Amino acid sequence: MTHYSIGDLARLTGLSTRTIRFYSDSGLIPVAGRTTGGFRTYDVEGLARLKLVRTLRDLGVDLPTAQRVLESEVSVAEVARTHAEAIDAQMRTLRLRRAVLRVVARTGEVEMVHELARLSEEERQAILDDFFDEVFGGLDLDPTFAERMRSVRVDLPDDPTPEQLEAWIELANLVRDKDFRSSIRRMSVRHQEMRAEGADLSGPSAEQMEAFQYAMSRAREALAAGVAPTSEEGRQILADVNARWSATLDVPVGPELSQWLDEFGDPRAERYWSLLAKINGWPPVPDTTAERRWLAEAGS
């Protein structure tokens, strides 16, 4: 039978003689015999146990658990599964911490970013629900519209990217902003009035979507060409856009049309959906902030 000294085991496993002696003293590696000089020797089974302990320790398994594996009290598969799950949790925590630090590096905010990042899914949703309660509460809105709005959830991953985390922080601040809430509340009140008048409020019509796309494309082209909003060409573009909206809404160009566009044209409402898309991993929602600003300046 082959016998190994502690020095032999050290060479075969890469462990120090001190560590092997400690494992032996702890009963992990049984002594198979002794030399004539009284030095410990170990057999093939002892070498195999030592290699297993070394592997488990390299994977972060503590010594008591390693001993339970050696004594067949628990299987290697069970230990591996438990530790893999623990490592997964640690990795999620580290990725979230990394995302928080990257957002802090961009914004300079510490406490607010940290607090919003550590909220549970229920706590995040509560912020959105509170927003809906204020802007929709007590109003007779189209049920389909209200249910669609309230059904959308904030689905921030356990390990968000810095971009997703930054989008969540911006969204949380947006829906808690008093001015934004007042703006959406005014839209909701107007929605109720139009519903009472018999208007179809199930969603924008195809004609309205075409008018919106036309307005954004004309403004985008003007921006690309460097056309000033207050120039003669800029005013003509605005007149074309207003004419398209007037025909779509059956509202004459003038104060009535301007009021409709003001009532339902808060660009932050579009930003809301753009942020949700980024957080939830949906297809990106186009950001038309620059186009809206150009049109607003052309009409001022």
Side-chain angles (χ1 to χ4, degrees):
M1 178 183 293
T2 302
H3 280 251
Y4 305 95
S5 68
I6 287 182
D8 294 331
L9 294 181
R11 286 189 296 274
L12 291 169
T13 63
L15 295 170
S16 68
T17 56
R18 182 179 179 181
T19 297
I20 296 171
R21 190 172 290 109
F22 172 76
Y23 288 164
S24 180
D25 292 340
S26 301
L28 292 171
I29 313 300
V31 177
R34 291 192 177 265
T35 65
T36 54
F39 294 105
R40 309 173 193 181
T41 60
Y42 304 87
D43 57 17
V44 173
E45 181 185 352
L47 174 61
R49 288 169 66 94
L50 181 60
K51 287 182 177 180
L52 178 57
V53 172
R54 180 198 61 188
T55 300
L56 291 172
R57 294 293 289 148
D58 285 346
L59 293 173
V61 177
D62 58 80
L63 277 180
T65 302
Q67 186 154 19
R68 292 181 64 202
V69 172
L70 293 174
E71 300 304 324
S72 300
E73 295 177 11
V74 62
S75 70
V76 172
E78 290 175 294
V79 171
R81 182 164 48 252
T82 300
H83 279 265
E85 291 170 356
I87 290 171
D88 285 342
Q90 291 173 349
M91 290 175 67
R92 286 194 297 270
T93 300
L94 288 173
R95 283 194 290 263
L96 178 59
R97 191 173 299 167
R98 179 183 61 187
V100 168
L101 289 172
R102 286 180 174 170
V103 173
V104 170
R106 293 179 194 172
T107 65
E109 295 283 348
V110 179
E111 290 187 13
M112 181 268 292
V113 171
H114 182 254
E115 287 301 315
L116 288 175
R118 63 194 292 269
L119 294 179
S120 67
E121 180 182 352
E122 291 74 17
E123 290 169 327
R124 289 194 296 268
Q125 194 61 37
I127 292 177
L128 224 57
D129 290 340
D130 178 69
F131 167 71
F132 289 133
D133 288 344
E134 181 170 330
V135 301
F136 293 161
L139 298 178
D140 183 20
L141 305 178
D142 180 81
T144 303
F145 166 77
E147 289 170 11
R148 183 171 66 246
M149 292 294 294
R150 286 183 176 274
S151 67
V152 176
R153 301 191 64 82
V154 176
D155 190 18
L156 186 70
D158 291 335
D159 52 345
T161 64
E163 292 74 22
Q164 285 176 307
L165 182 59
E166 198 163 5
W168 156 239
I169 291 165
E170 184 180 342
L171 179 70
N173 287 327
L174 176 63
V175 298
R176 293 187 298 187
D177 182 82
K178 291 182 179 179
D179 184 66
F180 180 63
R181 288 187 173 215
S182 296
S183 175
I184 301 303
R185 178 69 181 185
R186 287 193 297 271
M187 289 187 198
S188 300
V189 170
R190 184 63 184 130
H191 178 112
Q192 176 181 251
E193 293 171 350
M194 294 174 67
R195 184 166 186 258
E197 296 165 0
D200 179 7
L201 299 172
S202 59
S205 66
E207 292 77 12
Q208 288 175 343
M209 289 302 299
E210 288 175 4
F212 175 79
Q213 295 298 339
Y214 174 77
M216 294 304 108
S217 65
R218 291 299 304 273
R220 195 174 302 116
E221 290 166 2
L223 283 165
V227 176
T230 54
S231 66
E232 183 62 35
E233 186 177 356
R235 285 192 291 270
Q236 183 56 55
I237 291 172
L238 180 64
D240 295 342
V241 168
N242 284 340
R244 174 65 70 89
W245 272 119
S246 176
T248 300
L249 301 172
D250 195 22
V251 175
V253 175
E256 198 173 355
L257 176 62
S258 296
Q259 180 183 355
W260 191 96
L261 293 174
D262 287 342
E263 286 175 342
F264 297 99
D266 190 330
R268 292 173 295 183
E270 183 181 67
R271 183 62 178 167
Y272 168 89
W273 289 107
S274 176
L275 293 169
L276 266 178
K278 187 174 293 186
I279 294 166
N280 291 353
W282 299 342
V285 174
D287 185 353
T288 60
T289 302
E291 290 86 346
R292 289 172 179 270
R293 186 183 300 116
W294 188 94
L295 290 168
E297 290 179 14
S300 62

